[in-house]
């Protein structure tokens, strides 16, 4: 029987039942590596690997045909040299993170608009001060840069909260989800930045997205704009962002991702003004619904794989997503 | 010409134009008291007062027929003795606060579910720790106690975010807003508390709502439940809540209101475990949309008043809302 290595710690007994049942139907058995490592002396047994197998452990899987990453962001798996062969397919778990990450975006956006970090500071000092100005998602102009599962889940929520306009920006012109009022290509981004009150970035880490929010583009945002980044830290010119924040040229930023991670203790990001920093937690696997979806998406693609159909979440390694 | 005293600080030039235009159409002129006080020697000039006139300044308004409070919560105006006559009508600004307060509820609920206060502590210490468990509004069972403008605005948002069930609880059986999956009366509250993961309280401060979340009812909530209160602090047995939080019998609480306000420096609420406290800011007037709505609602009722129709937001002083 062909074999799957499930290299992940989060599987519940119910997840294992689902995995094993689907695997059996597809002619596979499943071995678990909950400690997150694939032993080199067993790696050659597996045709399929699912989970967060460290990039440097894939090479030993001489018979590997498909690696399904349990994360949505696969930039750590883009280097061709880590694979035993060019023909190994890479897929991701895009679709499992839309709910949890869009709730994170909503939370940090509201926290910034409603001055929550300042109110928390007031309460820590046991003061009772109320007079800080607030804004609302209702009536706001929002730009979502990266219109995949995460960006689109947020766009839907922002519309439900009464955003005035939600603009989606993507690499190429395609019909957008109805959650977006208007769709733009990357080439048109500069023209909408001056009207953007909240810029949400949910992009994969690729060559094309590096420093996409450049110093020049930061300068195009209005002074009262907020920036949220949940994709990859590399998408922002961090030095320019820190300067803009400290000089009050932006109202604030919420970064769940940065360069490098973890952030060194002396890094200027820690103390940037009006910066709401979180340690790359927006997609935390601890959310039950994320885990359930992750397993369901793998099983769906396992059926595709077994039937010889194209994988739903196949990653194009030349594009990076 | 009959006269209106507008005792409020927040009016913009545009608000003044709207007020004066509507007043003129109704046969009134408007005097402004932006410092928030009505001089005793002028009080008798006014048939209508709109704003946050201090309760002890109303008595001098010998010719007052209608006081429209610019807040939704009018418990400070329930004492009959503060009025020059029993016939003075009291109305409130219910309807102006649904957007801002429901965004506050959403924010604090997400902050608790996603352990944000702990992550903020981690980041203040410049640590990079990720492994805290999180929950989601998506899939949650939510009970909204008080199904007025605020509760219903939150219910709509919770449904849009994928809540499993949103139950509304009100004093009397009436058809509910479609935002609620199920409607219950206060008598039925005990039966749904054990299935409640998030309890949102948005009740007016009346005799009937005092300590409605009693020690006994706190005991009916599951250990992993969260409580949010944006109505009046009097609705909760605070001592019992602090005990339940400190003993881990509740997952957490977010209070924007408490007893007394401001909270004295040595009060046990400041240091209660898993408590997210804010200084009664959820309905902050600084939100432009709230101010605009407040003025629009007063103008609507001014037209009703001038035409001899019943006020839309008339408060029944025997009920308290």
């Amino acid at each position: 029987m062909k074999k799957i290595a499930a290299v992940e710690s989060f599987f519940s007994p119910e997840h294992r039942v689902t995995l094993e049942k689907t695997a059996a139907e597809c002619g596979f058995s499943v071995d678990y590596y909950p400690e997150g490592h694939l032993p080199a002396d067993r790696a050659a047994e597996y045709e399929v690997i699912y989970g967060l197998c460290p990039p440097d452990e894939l090479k030993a899987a001489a018979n590997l045909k498909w690696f399904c990453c349990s994360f949505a962001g696969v930039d750590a798996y883009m280097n061709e040299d880590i694979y035993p062969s060019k023909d190994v397919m890479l897929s991701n778990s895009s679709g499992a993170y839309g709910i949890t990450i869009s709730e994170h975006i909503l939370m940090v956006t509201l926290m910034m608009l409603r001055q929550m970090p300042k109110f928390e500071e007031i309460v820590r000092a046991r003061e009772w001060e109320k007079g800080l100005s607030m804004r609302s998602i209702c009536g706001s102009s929002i730009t979502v840069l990266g219109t995949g599962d995460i960006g689109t889940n947020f766009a839907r929520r922002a519309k439900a909260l009464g955003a005035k306009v939600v603009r989606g920006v993507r690499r190429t012109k395609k019909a957008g989800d109805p959650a977006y009022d208007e769709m733009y290509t990357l080439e048109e981004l500069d023209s909408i930045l001056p009207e953007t009150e909240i810029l949400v970035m949910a992009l994969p880490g690729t060559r094309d997205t590096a420093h996409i929010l450049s110093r020049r583009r930061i300068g195009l945002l209005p002074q009262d704009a907020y920036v949220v980044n949940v994709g990859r830290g590399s998408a922002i010119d961090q030095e320019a962002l820190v300067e803009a924040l400290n000089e009050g040229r932006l109202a604030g930023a919420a970064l769940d991702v940065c360069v490098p991670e973890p952030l060194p203790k002396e890094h200027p990001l820690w103390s940037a003004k009006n910066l709401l920093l979180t340690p790359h937690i927006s997609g935390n696997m601890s959310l039950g619904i994320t885990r359930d979806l992750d397993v369901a998406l793998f099983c769906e693609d396992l059926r595709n794989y077994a039937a010889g159909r194209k994988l739903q979440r196949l990653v194009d390694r030349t594009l990076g997503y």
Side-chain angles (χ1 to χ4, degrees), chain A:
Chain A
M1 200 183 265
K2 297 181 288 182
K3 292 176 83 173
I4 298 168
V7 188
E8 255 296 359
S9 58
F10 74 75
F11 301 127
S12 67
E14 292 75 20
H15 293 142
R16 290 194 178 209
V17 168
T18 305
L19 280 171
E20 287 158 25
K21 193 168 161 286
T22 312
E25 288 168 20
C26 296
F28 282 85
S29 67
V30 186
D31 291 339
Y32 297 96
Y33 296 96
E35 65 290 352
H37 287 283
L38 185 64
D41 60 345
R42 298 204 48 190
E45 297 173 25
Y46 301 104
E47 181 172 326
V48 176
I49 300 174
Y50 165 43
L52 263 188
C53 186
D56 59 357
E57 295 178 5
L58 290 174
K59 197 83 179 179
N63 298 301
L64 183 65
K65 292 194 175 160
W66 171 32
F67 168 54
C68 172
C69 177
S70 53
F71 273 18
V74 290
D75 37 327
Y77 298 95
M78 296 315 297
N79 180 354
E80 280 302 326
D81 297 340
I82 65 173
Y83 296 96
S85 134
K86 293 264 176 214
D87 300 328
V88 172
M89 289 188 291
L90 167 67
S91 73
N92 67 4
S93 297
S94 167
Y97 294 91
I99 291 168
T100 184
I101 300 186
S102 65
E103 290 194 4
H104 175 90
I105 300 170
L106 202 54
M107 175 186 73
V108 294
T109 302
L110 287 170
M111 286 177 72
M112 292 194 292
L113 290 171
R114 303 182 66 85
Q115 307 248 32
M116 193 58 184
K118 281 176 194 151
F119 280 118
E120 290 179 280
E121 210 178 306
I122 288 167
V123 167
R124 276 197 300 277
R126 301 198 173 191
E127 302 290 343
W128 198 265
E129 193 189 315
K130 308 163 62 130
L132 303 178
S133 74
M134 286 186 189
R135 284 158 54 191
S136 174
I137 285 182
C138 182
S140 286
S141 297
I142 299 176
T143 299
V144 178
L145 188 46
T147 60
D149 174 49
I150 293 161
T152 302
N153 263 285
F154 173 71
R156 284 189 203 120
R157 285 157 176 75
K159 284 305 288 180
L161 265 73
K164 187 168 79 182
V165 59
V166 180
R167 300 183 172 98
V169 182
R170 52 178 299 148
R171 208 170 53 91
T172 49
K173 203 95 188 176
K174 273 196 218 163
D177 190 279
Y180 299 100
D181 296 299
E182 302 163 6
M183 290 298 288
Y184 295 84
T185 63
L186 265 184
E187 285 66 40
E188 300 166 311
L189 175 60
D190 289 7
S191 69
I192 59 172
L193 286 177
E195 301 158 51
T196 297
E197 292 172 285
I198 301 161
L199 175 66
V200 171
M201 303 174 63
L203 290 162
T206 70
R207 241 192 328 260
D208 292 345
T209 62
H211 279 216
I212 200 165
L213 190 63
S214 60
R215 181 177 292 272
R216 189 183 60 76
R217 284 188 172 135
I218 290 171
L220 292 176
L221 285 165
Q223 194 171 0
D224 62 358
Y226 290 99
V227 173
V228 179
N229 189 13
V230 295
R232 285 292 180 263
S234 56
I236 298 184
D237 180 337
Q238 258 178 202
E239 203 182 296
L241 180 75
V242 169
E243 280 179 33
L245 288 169
N246 287 339
E247 292 166 12
R249 285 184 281 115
L250 279 179
L255 304 185
D256 188 50
V257 287
C258 58
V259 180
E261 292 179 21
L263 206 59
K265 295 267 188 195
E266 70 289 351
H267 197 282
L269 262 190
W270 291 110
S271 55
K273 209 173 127 188
N274 297 320
L275 179 72
L276 186 52
L277 189 69
T278 44
H280 205 151
I281 50 153
S282 65
N284 258 17
M285 263 292 172
S286 53
L287 201 61
I289 208 160
T290 309
R291 300 174 174 193
D292 296 348
L293 276 169
D294 208 277
V295 170
L297 295 178
F298 171 71
C299 288
E300 185 185 285
D301 257 351
L302 179 57
R303 290 184 201 279
N304 288 330
Y305 177 81
R309 291 188 297 263
K310 193 186 164 196
L311 299 179
Q312 273 284 316
R313 277 158 289 279
L314 186 69
V315 172
D316 179 336
R317 288 208 284 274
T318 61
L319 284 174
Y321 61 94

